Each structure stands twice: as structure tokens, then as C-alpha cells.
């Protein structure tokens, strides 16, 4: 069993929630790189010297609660003997080696602690870590971030580290100071992790949030700097005393605390809040999922769509940045947000979204009626264009959310609500207003179905107490198509199985949903076999017919369904098959 001061227990704070310590560092002109403030994660009781759980409970007063984290000031209850030896046993520098610029919390300040009620994790902030090993790690990262590990220009993010001392995300920056050499002081915010991959994956998140903290610090310091320069310009005074020794001319003002530079007495409490939120949020944004077996096609397609969306957003961001730079070069100021704008400015205008009017496929079948639902489901499964015309955009949206569950993710192309007709190659689900004109050839086509939603006549309104939603009792649904599906037509096999599940009242809605997932996966496996057989192996038509018979999909509707669902295969699966066929190993004769 490791003792409380053992290295294994010291690493516990790094190997917990987000595997990180966040620290603010400063390059002092008199003492070199120094750690000003750090926040670490604790899962076990507080470390030695930080107070026991009972002591903390008696000596804390809650300041605020945000995002499930209770903020409080940590009051340590030391005995006289402990107080006498506290300075000698502390891993930090001695008071004689510190100036105002090197010190964050005043002597005897207890530090800060936040309690995460959801996970029972504590976020503790103080000037230095209490454990000597963690102090050494943070100290080394601080020195490297403000000396050798610096990006070009000495201001910006950089990554360094190793397996033994941890990996570090460091962002260096300058703070304006009218009394400093060059009118600025050098700082850095560092995040130390033992997991290199996790830190690299968190780079965009950390960069954005830490950059926001830095901008706020620099903004406050700039206001103080401009006020001091307006009252007593230092540049002219230094020019008049150019031959006076620099340290002597500052009259002992070489060291200024960050609270003085920003004129913010609550700076350290605010930094604790920001660092604690950063550790919690960054640790929550990346999660691991346990997958049983290979990922499904829907999972692969969703991952590809997410990657495409992120790439598109990055390209939009870079193009907007380029336009702002161009405007700046032309002497135009970029558009600024109003001073009173904030994320909460529109909260008063926010309205809760209506509940889905269609709750499930079974509910839709009850509302539309079995014949109309069968026609609609047949067109959905076959890949034909499904058009809904209604005044209520929420109703159309809920209908598409229900209907799309019958198709693989890759086969769904939705335009929820449009002011004009869109061609079938752009979408197979299209929502339109009641007055939008649909081309006559679409209305007469066998490859489209139209659902018109009308206001029901008073005589046809359903009585109160009906099981349907109240909003649905006000509407009539008319399903029309250029080629109506005959009632005695078998249709695709999966449609018959879906209808059997929907009509079986012994099956709950959740069980029906799982049956639908299994049916889709079964037919997607048939699609994969057909794709490899026809597109990759290029087998003749006779062999394809034999394969379809073996798969139980030789009927015309089943063949059309398989060809449509083939468009929903993921790029990953297609490229994998094609690369396997083209590889030299695949061309070797089998023994």
C-alpha cells in the first residue's frame, strides 16, 4: 500500500478525470520563470496540508454554483505545530525568493476548491501543487514554456513533453505594463497531461478556450496601461533618463502583481472558475464507446458525415478569416458585435420546441390509415421522392424523423421545408408550403408520392379524449401518387415484415424499433454481398440472378430496393473492397 506522499498517489491527480493540471506561469525579471497559479483534479480525499473532508466542510462557504460545480474558498485548519512547519515543508520557493510579480495568493491564503456534485471530483487551485513530484513536473513545464519551448514570435501555442514528465500544451502571451521593460510582461498558460493522444485531440478545444482567457486578461491590462500612460507617460520619462540604470530608475516598481496590472481583485477566483470549468469540459467532450463487433454501416456513414461537416466548417472559418484580413488591408474595420450583445441576450425570445406530433411509425399508421401508410412506406423504401405539403413545418419535420427510421442513414437526403420544389436527385424527403406548385410531371410520376395536409372539416374532427395528439385531430391527410400501390401487391419483403411488427400489439414501440434495426442490418448485409458480386467482382447477369435467389430477393421490388440501398453504403466500405481487389495479394491464385 502506497503512503499518502508516495509518487503513485501524486500521479493520481494527473491520471484522473482529464489527466491534466492547468497552470498560469510568469517570467519574472528578477527571478526568472515562476508558477503563479495552478488547478489540479483530485478524486481521493484532499492531499496532506489541504485539510480533511470534515475540516473542509466546516471551513468552507459557498460562493456560487455553475454547471453542477459548487465553488467555495478552501480554509485550512492547521494546528500550531503544522503552521510552524508549513513553510519549511512546502515544495515551493521561499518567501525571500519571491516578489510581488511572483506571488499570486497572499501569504496564508487557503486557495480555492470546487466540488463537482455529479462525479464527486474536487478541483483545487493554489500557487503550487502540494506534492513535491507534481511541483517538479509543473516547475519544469513552466521553465520550458517560458524559455526554450517557444513558438516564433514568442506568443502563441506550442506542444512539447515526454512520457516521464508529461506532455504540455503551452500558450505564451504578453501583458501590458507601463513600468516593465518594453512595456510588457511575459506569461504562459500550460495544460499538462500524461496522455499524449488525448492532449493532441483536445488541441482545438484548449486553444479556443485558453485564447479566450488570455484575451480577457489582455483586455483588462490594456485598459490599466492606457490609463497610466495618459496620466504619466513613461516613454518620454525614460527618454529623458536614458543613461540612468534601468532597475534604479523604476524605483522598486520592477515587480507588479497580475491583480495590479489588470485592476481586478477577484482575478484568482475567476481564474480558478475558468480552469476548473476547462478541466471538466475538456474531460467530458471526448468519451469512449464500447462497440460489440464491427461498426454498422449507419455508424460509418454518420462518422463520415460528421467529418465532412467539420471540414466544411473549417473551410468556412478560414474563408471568413481571409475576408476579414482583406477588409483590414483595405482600411475597413471588421464588423463588431454590440457592446451589450451576449449569448444570453435572446433568452427572452426563446420558445420551447413543440413535441413531435408523430411519435412512431405505429402512431403514423394509425393516423394515416393502413392503406395510405402502406403506399407511403412503399415509396420510402424504394427510394422515391416523398413530398409533404403543410402549413405546419413542425408536423412535416416530425413526419420525416419517423419515416427516415425505415432507411439506412446513407440513403436519407432531407430538405425539411422549402419555398420551392426541389428535384428528386437533391432529396428524397421534401417539405413544402401548401401553396408551392409541384410540376405536373412529378404529380403524374410513379416515382413520387405527395402527402397533402388539410384542415379537417368540423364534422370530421375527432372527439375529445382521442388517443391521437390534439394537433393531429385538426388535420386530414391525403396520400396521392402517379402509381398507386395495389393492395394485393406483395411489395418488398421488408415492408411486409415492418407491417407485421407494427400490427402486433404485443410488441412495444421500443421493441418495434429494435426489430426495424435488425431488419435494416439484415438487408444491408444483402446489399454488401450484391455490391461485391456485381461492382467489384463483375460477375455475369446469370450469376447475379442465382445470387438474388439465394438471398431471397429475386422479386422485382426487392431488386429495386437493393439497388437503392446500395447508394447508402459508406465510402469506407467501398474503398476497402476496391483496395482489397486491387492489391497484389488479392490477384494471387488461391491454393
Amino acid at each position: 500500500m502506497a503512503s499518502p506522499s508516495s509518487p503513485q498517489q501524486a500521479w493520481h491527480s494527473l491520471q484522473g478525470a482529464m489527466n491534466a493540471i492547468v497552470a498560469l506561469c510568469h517570467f519574472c525579471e528578477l527571478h526568472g520563470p515562476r508558477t503563479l497559479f495552478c488547478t489540479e483534479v483530485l478524486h481521493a480525499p484532499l492531499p496532506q496540508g489541504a485539510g480533511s473532508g470534515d475540516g473542509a466542510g466546516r471551513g468552507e462557504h459557498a460562493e456560487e454554483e455553475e454547471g453542477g460545480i459548487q465553488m467555495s474558498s478552501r480554509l485550512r485548519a492547521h494546528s500550531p505545530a503544522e503552521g510552524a512547519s508549513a513553510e519549511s515543508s512546502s515544495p515551493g520557493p521561499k518567501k525571500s525568493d519571491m516578489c510581488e510579480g511572483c506571488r499570486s495568493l497572499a501569504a496564508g491564503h487557503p486557495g480555492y476548491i470546487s466540488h463537482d456534485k455529479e462525479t464527486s471530483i474536487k478541483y483545487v487551485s493554489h500557487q503550487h501543487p502540494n506534492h513535491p513530484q507534481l511541483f517538479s513536473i509543473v516547475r519544469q513545464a513552466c521553465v520550458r514554456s517560458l524559455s526554450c519551448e517557444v513558438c516564433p514570435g514568442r506568443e502563441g501555442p506550442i506542444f512539447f513533453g515526454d512520457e516521464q514528465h508529461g506532455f504540455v500544451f503551452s500558450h505564451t502571451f504578453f501583458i501590458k505594463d507601463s513600468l516593465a521593460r518594453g512595456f510588457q510582461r511575459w506569461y504562459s498558460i500550460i495544460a499538462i497531461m500524461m496522455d499524449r493522444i488525448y492532449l493532441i485531440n483536445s488541441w482545438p478545444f484548449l486553444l479556443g478556450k485558453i485564447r479566450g482567457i488570455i484575451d480577457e486578461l489582455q483586455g483588462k491590462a490594456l485598459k490599466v496601461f492606457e490609463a497610466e500612460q495618459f496620466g504619466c507617460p513613461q516613454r518620454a520619462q525614460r527618454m529623458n533618463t536614458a543613461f540612468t540604470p534601468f532597475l534604479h530608475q523604476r524605483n522598486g516598481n520592477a515587480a507588479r502583481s497580475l491583480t495590479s496590472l489588470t485592476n481586478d481583485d477577484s482575478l484568482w477566483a475567476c481564474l480558478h472558475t475558468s480552469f476548473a470549468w476547462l478541466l471538466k469540459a475538456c474531460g467530458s467532450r471526448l468519451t469512449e464507446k464500447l462497440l460489440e463487433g464491427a461498426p454498422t454501416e449507419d455508424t460509418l456513414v454518420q462518422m463520415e458525415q460528421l467529418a465532412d461537416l467539420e471540414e466544411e466548417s473549417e473551410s468556412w472559418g478560414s474563408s471568413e478569416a481571409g475576408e476579414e484580413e482583406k477588409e483590414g488591408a483595405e482600411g475597413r474595420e471588421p464588423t463588431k458585435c454590440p457592446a451589450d450583445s451576449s449569448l444570453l441576450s435572446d433568452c427572452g425570445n426563446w420558445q420551447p420546441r413543440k413535441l413531435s406530433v408523430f411519435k412512431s411509425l405505429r402512431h403514423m399508421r394509425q393516423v394515416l390509415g393502413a392503406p395510405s401508410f402502406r403506399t407511403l412506406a412503399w415509396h420510402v423504401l424504394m427510394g422515391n421522392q416523398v413530398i409533404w405539403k403543410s402549413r405546419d413545418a413542425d408536423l412535416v419535420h416530425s413526419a420525416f424523423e419517423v419515416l427516415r427510421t425505415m432507411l439506412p442513414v446513407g440513403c436519407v437526403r432531407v430538405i425539411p421545408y422549402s419555398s420551392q420544389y426541389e428535384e428528386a436527385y437533391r432529396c428524397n424527403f421534401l417539405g413544402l408550403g401548401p401553396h408551392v406548385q409541384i410540376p405536373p410531371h412529378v404529380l403524374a410520376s410513379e416515382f413520387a408520392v405527395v402527402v397533402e395536409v388539410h384542415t379537417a372539416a368540423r364534422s370530421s374532427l375527432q372527439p375529445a379524449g382521442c388517443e391521437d395528439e390534439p394537433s393531429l385531430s385538426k388535420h386530414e391527410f391525403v396520400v396521392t401518387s402517379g402509381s398507386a400501390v395495389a393492395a394485393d401487391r406483395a411489395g418488398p419483403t421488408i415492408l411486409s415484415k415492418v407491417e407485421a411488427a407494427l400490427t402486433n400489439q404485443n410488441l412495444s414501440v421500443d421493441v418495434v424499433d429494435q426489430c426495424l434495426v435488425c431488419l435494416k442490418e439484415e438487408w444491408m448485409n444483402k446489399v454488401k454481398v450484391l455490391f461485391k458480386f456485381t461492382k467489384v467482382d463483375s460477375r455475369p447477369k446469370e450469376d447475379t440472378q442465382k445470387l438474388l435467389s439465394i438471398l431471397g430477393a429475386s422479386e422485382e421490388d426487392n431488386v429495386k430496393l437493393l439497388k437503392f440501398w446500395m447508394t447508402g453504403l459508406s465510402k469506407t466500405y467501398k474503398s476497402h473492397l476496391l483496395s482489397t481487389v486491387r492489391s497484389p495479394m488479392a490477384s494471387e491464385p488461391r491454393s
Side-chain angles (χ1 to χ4, degrees):
M1 179 68 68
S3 63
S5 60
S6 65
Q8 289 82 357
Q9 204 166 38
W11 284 113
H12 185 58
S13 61
L14 277 181
Q15 295 171 347
M18 200 195 72
N19 304 340
I21 291 179
V22 180
L24 172 67
C25 307
H26 167 52
F27 189 91
C28 178
E29 296 178 357
L30 300 178
H31 304 105
R34 290 298 170 93
T35 304
L36 282 182
F37 195 75
C38 71
T39 303
E40 57 182 310
V41 181
L42 297 177
H43 299 261
L46 293 178
Q48 187 176 7
S52 63
D54 296 338
R58 290 191 301 266
E60 293 171 357
H61 64 279
E63 294 178 353
E64 58 179 320
E65 184 174 334
E66 181 176 357
I69 300 182
Q70 180 182 355
M71 311 297 299
S72 58
S73 178
R74 176 162 56 89
L75 304 178
R76 298 189 221 177
H78 292 295
S79 64
E82 290 174 339
S85 59
E87 182 178 350
S88 60
S89 61
S90 174
K94 299 179 180 179
K95 290 184 179 180
S96 58
D97 296 334
M98 298 176 63
C99 60
E100 287 299 321
C102 300
R103 184 181 299 111
S104 57
L105 304 180
H109 193 286
Y112 301 94
I113 182 172
S114 297
H115 301 270
D116 188 350
K117 297 180 179 180
E118 299 176 357
T119 59
S120 301
I121 292 177
K122 296 181 176 67
Y123 299 90
V124 182
S125 294
H126 32 60
Q127 181 155 359
H128 306 99
N130 290 322
H131 197 279
Q133 186 177 4
L134 294 183
F135 170 81
S136 176
I137 292 173
V138 175
R139 169 65 178 167
Q140 184 184 62
C142 169
V143 172
R144 293 180 66 179
S145 71
L146 293 172
S147 56
C148 56
E149 304 290 356
V150 181
C151 67
R154 299 183 66 193
E155 192 171 21
I158 198 169
F159 172 86
F160 60 89
D162 53 54
E163 296 286 349
Q164 182 179 0
H165 301 96
F167 299 93
V168 182
F169 170 92
S170 171
H171 197 304
T172 51
F173 60 99
F174 292 104
I175 292 290
K176 285 290 186 179
D177 182 4
S178 60
L179 301 181
R181 181 179 300 157
F183 299 104
Q184 60 187 11
R185 297 185 185 274
W186 201 21
Y187 292 83
S188 71
I189 294 179
I190 59 176
I192 311 171
M193 297 187 191
M194 299 307 299
D195 192 335
R196 178 176 60 88
I197 301 300
Y198 199 104
L199 179 58
I200 293 175
N201 289 334
S202 303
W203 176 284
F205 175 83
L206 291 174
L207 179 60
K209 302 307 177 183
I210 290 179
R211 185 67 251 179
I213 297 174
I214 292 172
D215 289 342
E216 187 173 354
L217 291 175
Q218 290 178 329
K220 292 180 179 180
L222 182 60
K223 292 181 180 179
V224 175
F225 174 79
E226 291 175 346
E228 292 177 349
Q229 287 293 84
F230 180 79
C232 181
Q234 292 291 316
R235 188 178 298 276
Q237 182 179 355
R238 294 185 186 183
M239 293 295 294
N240 295 332
T241 57
F243 298 101
T244 305
F246 182 75
L247 292 178
H248 177 70
Q249 81 178 38
R250 286 180 292 176
N251 297 325
N253 290 327
R256 298 180 68 185
S257 65
L258 190 57
T259 54
S260 174
L261 295 178
T262 58
N263 192 26
D264 185 359
D265 294 334
S266 61
L267 174 67
W268 305 117
C270 293
L271 275 181
H272 166 76
T273 304
S274 299
F275 286 175
W277 180 89
L278 186 68
L279 289 168
K280 176 179 173 62
C282 192
S284 302
R285 60 182 295 270
L286 296 178
T287 57
E288 295 180 352
K289 291 185 178 180
L290 178 61
L291 299 177
E292 298 181 359
T296 62
E297 281 299 300
D298 283 357
T299 303
L300 293 176
V301 172
Q302 288 172 346
M303 293 170 61
E304 292 171 354
Q305 292 176 348
L306 180 60
D308 293 340
L309 184 61
E310 292 178 350
E311 184 178 354
E312 182 179 354
S313 62
E314 290 176 0
S315 62
W316 273 104
S318 60
S319 62
E320 290 176 358
E323 291 177 0
E324 291 181 0
E325 292 178 1
K326 184 177 180 180
E327 291 177 357
E330 294 175 356
R332 297 173 59 190
E333 293 185 0
T335 303
K336 295 183 179 180
C337 296
D340 59 346
S341 64
S342 66
L343 294 176
L344 302 179
S345 58
D346 296 330
C347 286
N349 300 326
W350 180 83
Q351 296 293 335
R353 186 174 180 87
K354 297 179 181 178
L355 296 176
S356 299
V357 289
F358 287 111
K359 297 178 291 186
S360 63
L361 284 174
R362 177 178 288 170
H363 181 218
M364 179 178 286
R365 187 174 184 272
Q366 293 172 350
V367 173
L368 299 182
S372 296
F373 177 81
R374 178 179 174 82
T375 300
L376 181 62
W378 183 85
H379 284 279
V380 170
L381 292 171
M382 303 303 292
N384 298 334
Q385 190 174 39
V386 178
I387 304 172
W388 279 66
K389 297 184 66 176
S390 173
R391 296 179 182 272
D392 191 347
D394 289 331
L395 185 147
V396 176
H397 183 268
S398 70
F400 289 164
E401 288 298 312
V402 170
L403 290 173
R404 68 185 299 168
T405 59
M406 292 193 290
L407 292 178
V409 174
C411 294
V412 177
R413 302 183 309 280
V414 182
I415 297 181
Y417 208 73
S418 176
S419 59
Q420 61 183 7
Y421 172 76
E422 301 289 348
E423 294 293 339
Y425 72 88
R426 293 200 58 203
C427 59
N428 55 336
F429 291 100
L430 175 61
L432 298 175
H435 303 297
V436 178
Q437 296 296 324
I438 300 176
H441 72 275
V442 176
L443 295 175
S445 173
E446 61 178 334
F447 302 110
V449 61
V450 180
V451 181
E452 295 184 90
V453 184
H454 303 291
T455 302
R458 183 174 299 274
S459 59
S460 63
L461 290 177
Q462 299 180 12
C466 179
E467 295 181 358
D468 291 336
E469 296 288 336
S471 58
L472 294 181
S473 64
K474 303 176 183 178
H475 302 293
E476 286 182 345
F477 301 88
V478 180
V479 181
T480 59
S481 175
S483 175
V485 180
D488 56 348
R489 184 173 177 177
T493 305
I494 189 174
L495 176 58
S496 302
K497 294 184 177 180
V498 168
E499 286 188 311
L502 295 177
T503 55
N504 189 346
Q505 297 299 324
N506 294 326
L507 302 180
S508 65
V509 174
D510 292 335
V511 173
V512 172
D513 290 341
Q514 292 302 316
C515 290
L516 195 58
V517 171
C518 295
L519 287 173
K520 288 194 295 183
E521 192 65 21
E522 174 189 352
W523 281 83
M524 281 303 291
N525 288 333
K526 297 180 181 181
V527 169
K528 292 179 181 179
V529 174
L530 183 62
F531 176 81
K532 185 177 186 303
F533 200 81
T534 58
K535 305 296 184 181
V536 179
D537 296 342
S538 300
R539 298 294 184 92
K541 187 175 181 179
E542 294 77 9
D543 292 346
T544 303
Q545 291 297 329
K546 294 179 181 178
L547 174 66
L548 291 173
S549 299
I550 295 174
L551 295 177
S554 57
E555 295 80 3
E556 180 183 1
D557 286 346
N558 287 329
V559 175
K560 291 181 178 179
L561 181 142
L562 291 177
K563 289 182 178 179
F564 168 57
W565 284 30
M566 198 178 293
T567 62
L569 287 174
S570 63
K571 300 175 183 177
T572 304
Y573 178 79
K574 293 179 181 178
S575 60
H576 171 70
L577 282 185
L578 295 176
S579 62
T580 303
V581 172
R582 294 168 183 170
S583 63
M585 295 297 295
S587 61
E588 294 181 0
R590 298 179 181 177
S591 57

